[in-house]
Amino acid sequence: IQSTGIGIVKMKPDIVTISLGIEVIEKTVTEARNKTAISMAAMLAGLRGMGVIDDDIATTFFNIQPEYTFDQITETLPNGERIKRTERRLIGYRVNNSLSVKIRDLDKVGIIIDETVDAGGDATRLNNISFSVDNSSALEGNARTLALQDAVAKADLYAAETGVTRGRLTSLVETSSNQFSNQPRLKNVALTFEDAGPPTQILSGELEVRVTVQAVFDID
């Protein structure tokens, strides 16, 4: 008898991880880097002022690259023929400095986001927000137990319906383990704060750990 067991454990997240940073475009590398550094220093000060510890803040990306525009130019050849060509023109430099920030007090997530992006100013970029559980080992173990119990129950049902007896387990394979599915995410948002509005609301919802196993039993 072969059966598939599914175990699902649901829980409320206790950690929010935010990917955010500063992005600046200026005519020179020095100007772009300096403005990025000033805004990032203000953002870090805002995070620390809201109780986020340095161990929960990590640089995930830092990049300096030239920015170009493309101009359409019309030229007249010696024979009088007019042709068009595209010419690349340097217009400045882009500096991007991104952080990964863990927030362990979910009640403060919206406030921390508001304070942080306000400190960073119009150069602030919020790239992603995700939810997780700090210690998921016990939850995964519970999901595996439920998956095995489900596989055994299904095998017993098949055996009873076909007039046989389920024998010993001969094979057990975990075919999938989906940790923290159904995660709400917010991606690629450019934030500006010219006018103070209502506070940001972040809703964590509910996460789940899902484990699937394939079991094979003898028939007695």
Side-chain angles (χ1 to χ4, degrees):
I1 301 173
Q2 180 173 325
S3 64
T4 299
I6 300 174
I8 300 174
V9 177
K10 296 183 178 181
M11 80 296 292
K12 286 286 188 180
D14 56 17
I15 288 182
V16 176
T17 301
I18 300 173
S19 173
L20 77 169
I22 300 297
E23 185 178 62
V24 172
I25 300 177
E26 290 293 340
K27 290 184 178 181
T28 68
V29 171
T30 299
E31 289 176 315
R33 193 213 66 83
N34 287 345
K35 286 192 174 182
T36 301
I38 292 170
S39 295
M40 178 57 70
M43 178 176 285
L44 288 170
L47 287 168
R48 291 166 179 145
M50 293 298 295
V52 180
I53 63 175
D54 285 352
D55 287 348
D56 288 335
I57 304 173
T59 299
T60 57
F61 183 76
F62 183 84
N63 178 261
I64 299 176
Q65 64 181 26
E67 287 290 308
Y68 297 95
T69 189
F70 294 88
D71 299 325
Q72 294 291 328
I73 298 176
T74 301
E75 292 183 345
T76 302
L77 300 179
N79 61 4
E81 181 183 358
R82 294 172 64 85
I83 61 172
K84 292 183 178 181
R85 63 182 177 85
T86 300
E87 185 175 274
R88 187 177 72 169
R89 177 166 55 89
L90 179 68
I91 59 172
Y93 295 86
R94 181 192 302 268
V95 177
N96 188 311
N97 190 353
S98 297
L99 303 172
S100 174
V101 180
K102 287 184 179 180
I103 302 174
R104 300 180 184 274
D105 186 347
L106 269 64
D107 292 335
K108 291 184 176 180
V109 174
I111 297 173
I112 290 175
I113 289 176
D114 289 343
E115 293 293 331
T116 303
V117 297
D118 186 55
D122 290 347
T124 301
R125 299 294 181 265
L126 177 57
N127 303 310
N128 178 277
I129 180 170
S130 62
F131 301 85
S132 60
V133 176
D134 190 25
N135 187 357
S136 62
S137 298
L139 297 170
E140 294 173 24
N142 291 341
R144 290 187 173 96
T145 297
L146 292 174
L148 180 57
Q149 291 173 350
D150 186 42
V152 172
K154 288 176 180 176
D156 286 341
L157 174 64
Y158 300 148
E161 292 295 322
T162 55
V164 299
T165 301
R166 174 180 59 82
R168 67 182 183 88
L169 178 68
T170 61
S171 174
L172 180 66
V173 178
E174 184 177 305
T175 58
S176 68
S177 178
N178 186 0
Q179 184 180 4
F180 306 138
S181 61
N182 301 326
Q183 293 191 46
R185 292 177 181 271
L186 176 66
K187 295 185 178 180
N188 301 326
V189 179
L191 301 173
T192 59
F193 292 85
E194 297 178 359
D195 300 312
T200 298
Q201 298 185 45
I202 302 296
L203 306 178
S204 63
E206 192 175 59
L207 307 182
E208 69 176 36
V209 173
R210 178 187 296 262
V211 173
T212 304
V213 299
Q214 292 281 349
V216 179
F217 302 89
D218 281 339
I219 296 175
D220 291 342

